[in-house]
Amino acid sequence: MASLRQQIATTALTLTKFRELMKRMLENRPQDDLSLVKKAYDYSLKHHEGQSRASGEPYLVHPLEVALVLSEMKMDPVAVAAGLLHDSVEDTSVTIVDIRKEFGEQVAHIVEGVTKISKIDFATREEQQAENLRKMMLAMVDDIRVVLIKLADRLHNMRTLEHLPEERRHKIAEETLEIYAPIAHRLGMGKIRGELEDLGFRFLDPVGYEQVEKSVNARRKEGEAFLAKMQQIISDKLKEAGIQARVESRIKRLFSIHKKLQRQRITVDQVYDLCAMRVVTRSLQDCYAVLGIIHNLWRPVPGRIKDFIAMPRPNF
Ligand code: MN
């Protein structure tokens, strides 16, 4: 049994995370009733008691981190509660019948879906097979929240992957790149896909990762200054034109740079789209108006402009 000192430390750590979760949910969804989330926290606190992760942290930190990712996605209390409970059937004495009794049909259905997906063996090397597995996973669920919990679960597992032995690390990183990152991409969750890919790349090919990181970092400062300048120019022009929009910018992620270097056999200095910007407008008309403004500021490169407004990509 854990010592009293350990118990107190665990409670303090998880309580801090739980407060953070509640705060974020209140910010993102002020109308929601959060009692289900509180109840799920108390329940998983009780049932994961004494368990710890490979990192040595109390187990409960994991479902809490998963719930935090879900709250960042602005998910509803049912999904966040299910996120807190997602490992309880697999890793504790709790059964799905218990969950149904305590939390109702919806939460139970989602937890059951997550547990089911966790049992698929995704080990594969063939691209065609990977595509089949991705399809199978999406076909198995009738509630998209199951997939989102699985993605949040995988994201936290990847963030803490260094604590696992080499062989497991390799397998999980591979599966992340082949199955989970493409699913995140398909669902239009670019931020999650980007982090999953970079983490997968780092664990599968640490040397390659470090090389790309080093050469991108050498250009990062200059790139960020450039983006800040462009962002200002565009924001000013949009204000002048009376268009409401959000202007975002970023340096391309390491894994996508790495893929580009491999595909085109070039160096980081030759990557022309290392810096990227995005303008999010309220309407289609505004979107074209912004395109017009930008083409007026900077002449488009012939043959390189594609109208994804009229012909959206599969991930919209
Ligand atoms: Mn988990």
Side-chain angles (χ1 to χ4, degrees):
M1 199 180 141
S3 73
L4 183 61
R5 192 179 289 269
Q6 266 173 328
Q7 268 180 25
I8 292 170
T10 299
T11 313
L13 177 66
T14 54
L15 202 58
T16 308
K17 289 218 177 286
F18 178 63
R19 289 223 181 93
E20 201 184 321
L21 174 66
M22 289 309 241
K23 188 172 158 258
R24 199 167 306 162
M25 290 209 71
L26 279 172
E27 279 164 12
N28 285 343
R29 307 176 61 105
Q31 311 299 332
D32 286 352
D33 176 6
L34 300 183
S35 55
L36 195 68
V37 178
K38 170 81 173 83
K39 193 175 162 191
Y41 170 73
D42 291 335
Y43 193 84
S44 51
L45 178 69
K46 189 170 126 203
H47 289 282
H48 285 296
E49 204 209 317
Q51 296 179 346
S52 54
R53 297 258 292 169
S55 62
E57 280 190 310
Y59 195 89
L60 194 62
V61 168
H62 169 64
L64 274 166
E65 290 287 351
V66 169
L68 272 162
V69 173
L70 292 166
S71 72
E72 258 170 71
M73 297 175 185
K74 301 194 167 67
M75 296 299 289
D76 66 344
V78 168
V80 175
L84 284 168
L85 299 165
H86 81 273
D87 277 329
S88 58
V89 173
E90 212 167 317
D91 293 339
T92 77
S93 57
V94 169
T95 67
I96 202 70
V97 179
D98 300 331
I99 300 275
R100 188 167 284 122
K101 210 156 58 196
E102 286 289 326
F103 296 94
E105 182 52 40
Q106 270 199 73
V107 172
H109 187 71
I110 295 172
V111 171
E112 198 171 21
V114 175
T115 311
K116 231 190 268 167
I117 285 189
S118 306
K119 295 204 170 108
I120 310 176
D121 182 13
F122 287 114
T124 172
R125 300 207 131 258
E126 308 277 322
E127 177 50 31
Q128 187 51 46
Q129 258 177 310
E131 172 60 16
N132 287 339
L133 286 169
R134 293 193 291 262
K135 275 193 187 139
M136 184 168 95
M137 187 199 288
L138 291 174
M140 268 174 76
V141 300
D142 51 9
D143 188 325
I144 194 66
R145 290 175 290 192
V146 170
V147 180
L148 299 178
I149 290 171
K150 221 31 222 166
L151 286 174
D153 177 47
R154 179 49 58 115
L155 187 59
H156 184 244
N157 286 337
M158 287 301 289
R159 284 175 179 167
T160 51
L161 201 60
E162 75 218 52
H163 302 289
L164 291 188
E166 166 69 27
E167 202 183 312
R168 294 261 300 139
R169 218 155 55 196
H170 199 89
K171 184 175 172 274
I172 291 172
E174 209 160 56
E175 188 185 89
T176 298
L177 287 181
E178 284 174 357
I179 311 284
Y180 289 93
I183 285 182
H185 178 53
R186 190 164 308 175
L187 297 177
M189 317 204 63
K191 233 177 104 184
I192 294 203
R193 171 211 180 186
E195 192 179 342
L196 285 175
E197 284 184 343
D198 278 6
L199 285 164
F201 175 30
R202 199 178 92 197
F203 285 109
L204 272 186
D205 179 7
V207 177
Y209 181 88
E210 209 176 302
Q211 270 171 3
V212 176
E213 190 184 34
K214 229 165 122 187
S215 26
V216 171
N217 280 347
R219 290 186 59 193
R220 194 174 290 276
K221 242 202 171 114
E222 161 209 5
E224 276 165 0
F226 171 74
L227 284 172
K229 202 175 87 191
M230 301 285 279
Q231 203 163 347
Q232 191 59 56
I233 296 173
I234 293 175
S235 300
D236 289 348
K237 279 281 174 192
L238 295 189
K239 209 176 283 167
E240 232 177 81
I243 295 171
Q244 271 190 22
R246 196 168 73 232
V247 184
E248 302 167 349
S249 66
R250 67 181 177 93
I251 306 267
K252 210 178 173 70
R253 300 214 58 140
L254 298 184
F255 182 66
S256 60
I257 294 172
H258 166 70
K259 274 201 306 200
K260 193 158 210 165
L261 300 186
Q262 280 194 326
R263 218 169 35 231
Q264 305 184 357
R265 303 183 175 284
I266 53 175
T267 65
V268 170
D269 289 319
Q270 296 164 295
V271 175
Y272 69 90
D273 61 346
L274 190 70
C275 299
M277 299 198 63
R278 174 187 288 154
V279 182
V280 184
T281 58
R282 287 178 175 272
S283 69
L284 199 70
Q285 276 125 306
D286 280 357
C287 203
Y288 276 114
V290 171
L291 187 66
I293 289 171
I294 288 173
H295 282 177
N296 233 313
L297 282 166
W298 302 283
R299 207 143 294 282
V301 180
R304 300 246 41 152
I305 165 95
K306 295 181 189 128
D307 185 355
F308 290 128
I309 309 172
M311 282 167 290
R313 301 170 101 178
N315 63 349
F316 298 103

